[in-house]
Amino acid sequence: MFSFFKKKAPAATPAVADAPVAAPPSAPVATPVAAPVVAQVPAVPAPVATRTTDPEREGWMNRLKTGLKKTGGGIQAVFVNAQIDDALYEELEDALLMADTGIPATTHILQDLKDRVWRTSATTPAAVRAQLVESVAEVLRPLQRPLEVGRHTPTVIMVAGVNGAGKTTSIGKLTKHLANSNCSVLLAAADTFRAAAREQLAVWADRNLVEIVSQEGGDPGAVSFDAVNAGRARGKDVVLVDTAGRLPTQLHLMDELKKIKRVVTKADGTAPHEVVLVIDGNTGQNALSQVQAFDEALGLTGLVVTKLDGTAKGGVLCAIARWGAQRKGGPVPVYFIGVGEKLEDLETFDAHEFAQALIG
Ligand SMILES: Nc1nc2c(ncn2[C@@H]2O[C@H](COP(=O)(O)OP(=O)(O)OP(=O)(O)O)[C@@H](O)[C@H]2O)c(=O)[nH]1
């Protein structure tokens, strides 16, 4: 199941009765996702829906749980025949650190857990574990925010990341869902180095009946510029700019990325409207370094975390959330998570579900 919000010009009367209830991004949400939201929605962005008994959503939850099984298993084991004492908290600390949660987030979660245990008078391992899920969910909740489409026409989304993080695959998945929801999409193949990347994108474009701007060996800035102009001229809802993979340490390539962003702004003074970093969920604490480095270079507006169906430990999202709590512009939301290689394996991020999968 997939959800995003498409906003149209304010002139139209919002379909208030049918629209999801708006709430602050940090508030717990409980509206079930019935179907992708493509209707006009109120001006205030609404949160993505969460807990649901939808079988499709349960299916991907199982995949996420399977992917994070190692982490969940490790944390679960701490609670087996456990006493609620200092030793339990020490073991939990180890388990959270092993899950790539990092020291600041682990310290924060444990302190919050102790407060909760005291407040709720939790005395059984199961009750403490339930409180741990709530602690982790609360840390993650600021990351839960939907991608908005429709405020600008086209909405220009620039996608970056290290090599092999899953950018092109995620763009393909996202394109499918956008196209399925009647959003017209234009893809910009700004990875002009790798012929295979252009071909891969062209295959996605073909499958999804969307258009693509591509140029063999061309300048990625020029391709992006052309794509944004073409997107505007053709009245596309979304332009997705796929950039070549690069490491934050490759300074000349990071400069190139900054240039692509500048050129996109030249084509449309309000763009890019989103700068999304794709991170591989298996890269552990390194994912946090990537987020920080790309954010410094580009100013990120969102994340896609891929490969959570594999051997990812998942705790790094807590580290990213705690870092985001200190960030000047606030947390960088996780728009989507990737739980497989298939087209439908892209899901909106739900803090509570993720916490449940993580804790096991
Ligand atoms: N299991 C799994 N595999 C994924 C997921 N997302 C992407 N992949 C796989 O990861 C590999 C790399 O994906 P790409 O989309 O080519 O990565 P990229 O970031 O575009 O790569 P470069 O263009 O080389 O930087 C492919 O084999 C994908 O099928 C996911 O959520 N789960």
Side-chain angles (χ1 to χ4, degrees), residues 159-164 167-168 188-194 197 220 241-247 250 253-254 256-257 260 294:
V159 182
V162 304
N163 310 70
K167 291 178 295 300
T168 310
D191 182 351
T192 53
F193 297 113
R194 210 164 60 88
V241 181
D242 185 21
T243 63
R246 67 203 74 213
L247 293 170
Q250 295 173 301
L253 294 181
M254 292 304 280
E256 181 196 78
L257 213 46
I260 295 175
F294 278 90

Side-chain angles (χ1 to χ4, degrees), residues 8-19 39-43:
K8 282 293 183 194
T13 314
V16 177
D18 296 327
Q40 294 144 356
V41 295

Side-chain angles (χ1 to χ4, degrees), residues 162-170 173 191 194 197 200 242 244-245 306-309 338-341 345:
V162 304
N163 310 70
K167 291 178 295 300
T168 310
T169 309
S170 299
K173 292 172 179 174
D191 182 351
R194 210 164 60 88
Q200 197 181 342
D242 185 21
T306 63
K307 309 187 194 181
L308 288 168
D309 53 310
V339 290
E341 294 186 75
D345 296 333

Side-chain angles (χ1 to χ4, degrees), residues 6 30 40 46 51 79 88 127 172 218 225 277 282 307 312:
K6 181 181 177 185
Q40 294 144 356
R51 277 155 269 178
F79 289 100
L88 172 78
F225 186 80
L277 183 73
N282 292 295
K307 309 187 194 181

